[in-house]
Amino acid sequence: MRIKRALFAALSGATLLAAPVQASELTKSDVEQIVRDYLVKNPEILVEMSNALRAKQESQQAENDKTLIEAHAKQLFTNKDPESGNPKGSLTVVEFFDYNCGYCKRAHPLVQQLLAEDKDIRYVYKQFPILSETSYYAARVALAVQLGQPDKYQAFHDKLYAHQGPLADESQVKQVAQAVGIDWSKVEAKFKDGSIDQNLGTNRALAEALAISGTPAFIIGDQILRGAPRDLASLKEIVKDVRAGKRIQ
């Protein structure tokens, strides 16, 4: 409304200054010049317009995300992925991640602190290896661990995230696994299990359907956070807003 009033004022003022020229006599070019001059003199209106447009786009994105999450809820929330936190938590958070993703690694300690403080969150890990062949290999190994030695998954997951820099090759993944007491022969026995291919394929299709093209990405209740949270305080605020039914920023 303010923008409309400002433009009306610009046209009115210009018309008065240009008397006895009547508004009906102004050409399209005249109007464009008046509006341009007014906006140049009042640039804060452009900032207001930009903010309004961004807010509208964010609101539309949030509504689209909510619809997409509802459409894919079964695969998002009930697929057989590794989990942590409270299995009966009132809020479910799903993370799409890659073990070679630096932003994922920086977000991981924040997630751990959040789960340590908030005992009402169910946390689901969605393997989404997109950065390299070793990302894909590490994801397969992690899912093989989940199948054959589920009690070792969390330690392996944490250790991979703690690895400094990208995983250079398959031998490094094996070293990490053995460092947390994983029986490698059991990994090899499960590595080619068809359920692993199904899991990775489902996750990739889900990410594509949800317009997730990078890592990390978080499904928090009925909203999507694309990218890593800034810090623990902002992550907790996001969780608080989702629980209150507010749109996250």
Side-chain angles (χ1 to χ4, degrees):
M1 290 300 293
R2 182 188 166 193
I3 295 170
K4 289 182 179 178
R5 289 197 298 269
L7 293 179
F8 177 76
L11 290 172
S12 299
T15 301
L16 289 173
L17 290 172
V21 177
Q22 300 299 310
S24 60
E25 298 176 359
L26 291 173
T27 65
K28 180 175 179 289
S29 178
D30 291 333
V31 173
E32 289 175 347
Q33 186 61 46
I34 291 168
V35 172
R36 180 186 180 283
D37 292 344
Y38 187 82
L39 291 177
V40 168
K41 293 178 181 178
N42 300 273
E44 68 277 4
I45 294 177
L46 296 174
V47 175
E48 183 180 339
M49 292 171 67
S50 176
N51 290 340
L53 176 60
R54 183 171 64 252
K56 182 178 181 180
Q57 291 173 331
E58 289 175 351
S59 179
Q60 290 174 337
Q61 181 69 67
E63 286 302 312
N64 290 341
D65 287 346
K66 184 175 180 180
T67 299
L68 289 171
I69 290 170
E70 289 174 352
H72 299 283
K74 184 176 181 180
Q75 290 175 317
L76 273 171
F77 303 124
T78 64
N79 203 35
K80 294 181 179 180
D81 294 286
E83 296 185 13
S84 65
N86 180 357
K88 296 183 179 180
S90 64
L91 178 67
T92 297
V93 177
V94 179
E95 178 187 358
F96 285 80
F97 67 94
D98 182 308
Y99 284 120
N100 276 320
C101 168
Y103 294 106
C104 299
K105 291 181 179 183
R106 284 198 283 273
H108 184 57
L110 307 181
V111 170
Q112 289 181 307
Q113 291 178 64
L114 175 69
L115 295 179
E117 296 180 21
D118 191 327
K119 302 300 183 180
D120 197 26
I121 294 177
R122 172 185 171 228
Y123 202 87
V124 180
Y125 299 107
K126 290 280 188 188
Q127 303 280 348
F128 185 41
I130 57 174
L131 295 178
S132 70
E133 287 298 319
T134 54
S135 296
Y136 184 77
Y137 182 78
R140 289 195 70 93
V141 171
L143 291 173
V145 169
Q146 174 66 16
L147 284 175
Q149 303 166 79
D151 59 316
K152 298 290 187 180
Y153 175 82
Q154 190 66 53
F156 181 56
H157 177 81
D158 294 343
K159 192 74 171 178
L160 282 175
Y161 261 160
H163 179 80
Q164 297 297 310
L167 295 160
D169 52 36
E170 295 177 3
S171 66
Q172 278 196 335
V173 178
K174 182 178 180 180
Q175 289 170 8
V176 171
Q178 293 175 327
V180 295
I182 288 171
D183 184 336
W184 192 251
S185 65
K186 292 183 178 179
V187 171
E188 292 178 322
K190 295 292 185 180
F191 189 78
K192 295 184 179 180
D193 192 289
S195 66
I196 293 178
D197 294 304
Q198 183 178 11
N199 180 287
L200 293 174
T202 296
N203 289 353
R204 184 170 290 275
L206 269 175
E208 184 176 329
L210 296 170
I212 293 172
S213 58
T215 55
F218 302 87
I219 313 301
I220 305 177
D222 62 358
Q223 300 189 52
I224 302 177
L225 173 64
R226 296 174 177 85
R230 294 188 304 275
D231 49 37
L232 180 60
S234 63
L235 180 57
K236 291 168 72 172
E237 188 66 24
I238 289 169
V239 168
K240 180 181 176 181
D241 286 347
V242 170
R243 281 179 168 146
K246 298 179 181 178
R247 177 168 58 84
I248 61 178
Q249 301 299 318

